[in-house]
Amino acid sequence: MSDIQWSPEGEELFKKLIDALPEQMRNLAKPQLVDFLKMKSGGEPVSCEMITGMVDELPEPQKGMLAQALASIGDADDGFDGSIVEKIIESHPKGQETLVAVLHDIQARFGYIPEGAVKVLSQKTGVLASTLYQLLTSYQAFRVEPPKKNILTVCNGTGCHLEGGGGLLTKIKEKAAKEGADITLETVRCLGMCNISPALLVNGIPYSGADAEAQLKKL
Amino acid sequence: MITITINGQQVKANEGEPLLVAARENDIDIPALCWNDSVKPYGSCRLCIVEITKGKRTFIDSACSYPAIEGLSVKTETPIVNESRKVVLELLLARCPEVKIVKDLAAKYGVTSSPELYGTAEEGCTLCGLCIRACNDVVGAGAIQFSGKNTDKKVSSAFEKNAEACIGCGSCEFICPCNYIKKTDTFSDEASKREIANWKVDLKLRNCTVCGNPYAPEAHLEAIRKEKFLPKEFFKICPSCRTYPEVDATKCKGCGCCVDICPCGALELLDEGGADKRAFIYNQNCTGCHSCELHCTMKAIG
Amino acid sequence: MKIAKSADLDAVKESGQKLLFPPGVRITVGAAMCGMARGSGQLLQVINDEVKNQGLDANVAVVGCNGQCYAEPIVEVINGKDKYTYGNVKGSDIPGLVKAAKDGKAAEGIELLDTDAFNKNQQKIVSKNAGIIAPGNIEEYIANDGYFALAKALTEMKPADVLDEVMKSGLQGRGGAGFSAGIKWETCSKAPGDKKYIVCNGSEGNPEIGMHKSFLESDPHSVIEGMILAGYAIGANEGYVYINYRYMLGFKRISDALEQVKEAGLLGDNILGSGFSFDIKLKRGAGTYVNGEATALLSSLEGSLGEPRLKPPRMAEKGLFDKPTVVNNLETLANVPFIIQKGAEVFSKIGSESSKGTKIIAFSGNVARPCWVEVPFGMTIQEIVDTWGKGAKEGKKIKAYQIGGPSGGILPGKALDLRLDFESLTGAGSLLGSGGLVIMDEDTDMLDMAKFFADFSAEESCGKCTTCREGTLRLQEILSDIIGGNGTEEHIDLIKRMTAGMAVNAVCEFGKTAAEPILSVIKYFPDEIVGKVE
């Protein structure tokens, strides 16, 4: 960490960013991100732009995780930056058939689909805003609200239900509904992890129901 | 024309037209809620289901979407069809117990109330989607769409906010069979407006420059004007005030003042051979502002 | 690596075999979703480090799942002729495991799996590579005769011959109702128009079908090869693979595979110099159950809302972008290379009188051993459950089971003697669906299951048609009433009357069959309802 230079704002943003990451990822991700920034900055002081720009260059799943963290910091994306959406649109072939893919990418970048992004998308593609809103609200994959810090994906498939998934889901629902709970709860019909049922993902990492208890307490 | 059989009666139909149309043209009634001949069929209400026999196969499908094909045999009221239609009406009645068209249709088929075991709702909308199709396919505005799925489905504008694409034409209100869409025009000296509460829009009405009365939403008039490439002034005057000036050919000297002054380009000097030129008014472009009349030094227009 | 003519395949096969059977040691780590769930990702890291530390000359490969999900993470060591398959491997086992591999013997203290016994009585057609080859390496697929069927078709057969072969094989769709693949293809190939599409449906959202995707994660090339063959047969030059957005791993594997196969020239213009061109686009769904319904899937592919379309027109005449389209399930397509390579006759000898070939069956629920297998049609469900699933957990009795998703209803334990084929399951009022086999043990509250499925259909209904949208909501209410102890005969009568109406007039199969689970509980487990009904 010795030879990396920070601009004051950059250093602060980076600190916030690390804090906004899910707890179990922090220690793992921090040195990697520092290395990446070190390489990118080439001795220059690391600015806020470099940090936000880093998100676009990283591979999944880091990209999604960081984008979410950035979105949760809030001020980084407050003044909605339409140019990011424009860039995403340009990276796909034209035509309505790529809409879903574009929306997936927008969500990967922001953690959800901001209203501003829909406006830009509508202007650039000519697809009506009402139609886009229909897609967003009827497809499970898309969120129209920013996600909370922790995303719990609970399997609500038949197999997991039989293995106690129903009870687990009720418990998590209660927890997520509590005031101050920083949890976005999502259910999914089958994660393909029937061998650890009841299965759930805590910030993308799979757990079996029983093992998840300890994780859940930490949140 | 082709021949199909409906309820044992041979009828003529246009090939490919929906069975519903073929039946109604022959005075055979099939109930439907989400059907209107100005828009594409959507097949969501499921009231128009009929039993269709095509070759060896007999099946049930919606008459609004199934095309007339030579030799088809259709039965509109078999026991299964009637029973299933009743189930749909009970479900609709449970959702919209106060909607008149639902109550009327249900009563017609012997359903007076939804089963007691059903919970009830007080929805005013059956989600037939006619308003959406009218807005998209006929008007071309696309201000509203369905959002959400399952029973959360509703008709809404983007993000359920003010529908920016709405031009206030009122087609949605006109086509809605349930009287669910509320359009209110308010008139005042300062600013008359049209509100459609469902889409959270509040649009300014344009006042006629002649009678001063508000007559249509600005946005609607602008949309038509742009679509038809009409001049800016075209909708200044309401249709009832619009009178078209005429050129008195005996007085017109062909000076062309009127052509220059016409805001809509509705006038042209026509060459009548020799040195004679006469002003001519194209009514389809004329808004009836009578500027030409005021400017004509020869008093040839009136 | 470029494969421009059939002969190039042989060279690649040779080099691929060196990967599968290297002079040194090959260590494979099972990393499909089931393996990932048990931490095979981290394990791989540990193995790589340890191999380096101990200076072992080993080819460490990431493979898919061989079906034994219950024993994940699975690490296999292939050392010349010896093969050791370890199950439930922990990070702390690795130093010993690598040391043993170096010494050419079995490691002590780690569970050894008997894969031969597990594979016995299975018939692996579509899953022959699963858990063996690295899905990320096309050479390994070719080493196991991959793309040889394609070469054969393009060089020796006319499109009509390929179609004919599939028709003769009796291959039926593996996604649901078991419609003949041959007839589907023929209708589309005869439909007028020069632009046609093949669509691979990987979007089934059945609530028990995830593990079934292990097979996509394990061998994406077999699906791709099947698609190209299908395209050749019906005269299509473009295909779409549609994957549920939740199957990130499957998506990534097939996306990598597509890249490789394009680079190799087996996908693109003028494949193997035959003059036939084919391209495949990969699309990620956005998750609604109804997207599994083929017409809704097409709408979704076009970028509009995934709602079922009204028929006619049929998809084979007017499908994707209004062009003739064949929609096949993943597993159906993966059968095609085998049929072309070995011939329809060999294929049609496998299976039962009415259903040809094999089926992947994936266990979940209260099963003792969650796993998946590929078995020939005609076996009884009992045999499959006893042999591989090993009954219910803790030796409990099996009270009921479900095959074919919610639309197939629930079958009672005494119906385990049903044969696995389209005819016998349909005869029993169920359907084969995608082959998710959910075991429910003696403690299962069947009313709770009925409620679970009612909640499922009420939530997943797209809301387009009155019957499905309102009907599933009312079913939920009536069931809650019964569970709350307020049930009367009237409740049951109403359920029956209403669901009969739903079954005939909903727009798509989802709505038509939404009530199946409840009806089967009423039919097979009346006692559990009687207790709750006055």
Side-chain angles (χ1 to χ4, degrees), chain A residues 96-97 100 104 134-135 138-142 153 156-159 161-163 186 188-190 192-196, chain C residues 33-34 38 69 207 210 240 245 283 285-288 300 303-306 366 393 438 448 452-453 456 459-460:
Chain A
Q96 182 150 3
E97 56 156 310
V100 173
H104 272 301
Q134 178 189 30
L135 290 182
S138 34
Y139 284 127
Q140 272 165 14
F142 304 122
T153 314
N156 193 21
T158 320
H161 179 78
L162 279 161
E163 289 286 284
E186 290 177 349
V188 36
R189 285 303 173 185
C190 188
M193 301 177 172
C194 311
N195 56 339
I196 60 162
Chain C
M33 272 324 269
C34 48
R38 290 270 187 86
C69 312
Y240 282 85
Y245 79 108
K283 292 270 177 177
T288 60
S300 180
S304 54
L305 182 69
N366 305 130
K393 262 181 200 158
V438 187
D448 175 64
F452 170 78
F453 288 118
F456 166 77
E459 191 189 315
E460 298 291 339

Side-chain angles (χ1 to χ4, degrees), chain A residues 55 60 63-65 67-68 103-111:
Chain A
V55 177
E60 288 287 0
K63 185 177 174 174
M65 204 171 65
Q68 239 169 52
L103 287 172
H104 272 301
D105 282 4
I106 294 176
Q107 176 149 309
R109 176 63 181 78
F110 295 98

Side-chain angles (χ1 to χ4, degrees), chain B residues 42-46 49 61 65-67 83-84 88 90-92 94-95 117-119 126-127 149-150 153, chain C residues 307 310-312 458-467 469-470 474 477 491 494 497-498 501 504-505 507:
Chain B
Y42 183 56
S44 69
C45 75
R46 310 315 284 168
I49 51 155
D61 213 325
S65 61
Y66 207 90
E83 186 52 37
S84 168
V88 174
E90 286 175 357
L91 290 168
L92 276 172
R95 176 186 172 91
L117 297 176
Y118 287 179
T126 60
L127 298 172
K149 56 176 190 170
N150 56 45
K153 202 179 191 99
Chain C
E307 269 185 2
L310 300 170
K311 292 180 204 170
E459 191 189 315
E460 298 291 339
S461 165
C462 78
K464 172 172 180 168
C465 68
T466 313
T467 344
R469 181 188 65 236
E470 304 296 325
R474 300 306 166 197
E477 289 173 355
H491 285 78
L494 183 58
R497 196 166 67 81
M498 177 172 82
V504 292
N505 90 15
V507 172

